[in-house]
Amino acid sequence: MSQAWVPKYMLNRFATPISITSETAKLNVLNEIIRFATNYFGRSFPKPIFVPYGNKTLRDKADAATNFVHGVFYESKLFPEYTQAVLHSLIGGTGIIKVIESDTGVQYECVLPTEVVAFDEEAVANNLRSLFHVKYVDKGVLQARYPEYAPRIATVTTVDGGYVEQIKMIEGWHLPSAPGAEDGKHIIVLEPDIVLVDEPYEQDDFPFAFLNYIQSPVGFWGQGLGQILIPYQAKINELMRNIEANIRAGGNLKIWLQKDSGVSSDQITNNLRGDVLVGNGPAPQHLIQPLISTDILNHLSFLINSAWAASRFSQATARGEKPTGID
């Protein structure tokens, strides 16, 4: 995006993909495990396969049908959407792929789990009858898609007072109560009262594919590695802050200056990172020589190993290490 036309007071409103933080460096075991798990599950891309049986003619038809379906999946770019949905399921528990029918064929979209909402009572009982997709869409895109509503769409208040030309769109589905029933509904509305689509819905399922990493004991939404490993990562971060504080405090240069030496501490201006200690007698000694206690390092290793054990993945496999005893 060129910034030539952007007012100066708005330059700080654009998000950048790189953020600089001054926080303490962390040993991000959670990210390492999730990235490995994403690659692990991403390799096993699920695809329908027609089982060949019978004579050669039937086997050839099964192989041809399998190749056709695989070609449709790759042409519709389902694989990258699936990989992103796997990442969402590993972090938050549930990944969602939306199936979109259009004039050019079937398309797939990885939807943010935070954009899909359901009624609490139905979600807890794991019996969804209604589902809503809440997202922000560019106003111009909606006007081009629904030209008959363009004048009304132009009056809708955009996000953030007009700085971003995005407006909230809610798409909802209600499943029919029985096969052939006419109470199913598909709607698309814009706040506050613009109804773009209001049509019957005859399908017995929602146009979404849900990937739950671990099915929760109660409710519809899944449980992910992010929820499981957060307690371990929090303790690892705490130990890393402790270790860094010990290094900063114990690793500074110590200068022992006796009071009767006639040298003022203000005269020591060598710009060295250190502490000036003033006193009489012999220089004090550290009671513990290592900057970091061995017990702290052992506990850090214990937490890292425990996090990998809780994920059910092998740390050696993730790092390409051979098990002991295998040449």
Side-chain angles (χ1 to χ4, degrees), residues 257 263-269:
L257 180 64
V263 178
S264 172
S265 60
D266 297 335
Q267 297 175 351
I268 302 177
T269 59

Side-chain angles (χ1 to χ4, degrees), residues 173-222:
W173 299 263
H174 179 69
L175 301 181
S177 56
E182 299 180 356
D183 54 351
K185 185 70 69 175
H186 173 226
I187 61 171
I188 300 178
V189 299
L190 305 177
E191 292 185 341
D193 58 354
I194 302 177
V195 180
L196 302 179
V197 174
D198 185 354
E199 61 186 7
Y201 187 72
E202 301 176 352
Q203 304 298 325
D204 58 357
D205 205 349
F206 301 106
F208 294 95
F210 296 93
L211 306 177
N212 287 347
Y213 180 68
I214 297 178
Q215 187 62 48
S216 299
V218 178
F220 175 79
W221 309 108

Side-chain angles (χ1 to χ4, degrees), residues 94-117:
T94 301
I96 305 175
I97 298 177
K98 185 178 183 181
V99 183
I100 305 172
E101 295 185 24
S102 64
D103 297 337
T104 59
V106 179
Q107 299 177 351
Y108 303 94
E109 176 189 358
C110 179
V111 177
L112 290 175
T114 53
E115 293 181 351
V116 178
V117 296

Side-chain angles (χ1 to χ4, degrees), residues 107-183:
Q107 299 177 351
Y108 303 94
E109 176 189 358
C110 179
V111 177
L112 290 175
T114 53
E115 293 181 351
V116 178
V117 296
F119 293 119
D120 291 340
E121 296 79 7
E122 295 181 354
V124 170
N126 197 4
N127 183 26
L128 299 186
R129 305 300 303 170
S130 300
L131 200 65
F132 303 92
H133 183 194
V134 183
K135 65 181 303 182
Y136 291 89
V137 184
D138 184 85
K139 179 182 287 189
V141 171
L142 285 175
Q143 289 176 319
R145 177 67 177 81
Y146 304 98
E148 64 275 20
Y149 294 97
R152 294 193 62 188
I153 294 175
T155 63
V156 178
T157 303
T158 56
V159 179
D160 202 6
Y163 293 119
V164 181
E165 289 294 313
Q166 301 277 322
I167 56 180
K168 181 186 289 188
M169 183 183 75
I170 303 175
E171 186 174 10
W173 299 263
H174 179 69
L175 301 181
S177 56
E182 299 180 356
D183 54 351

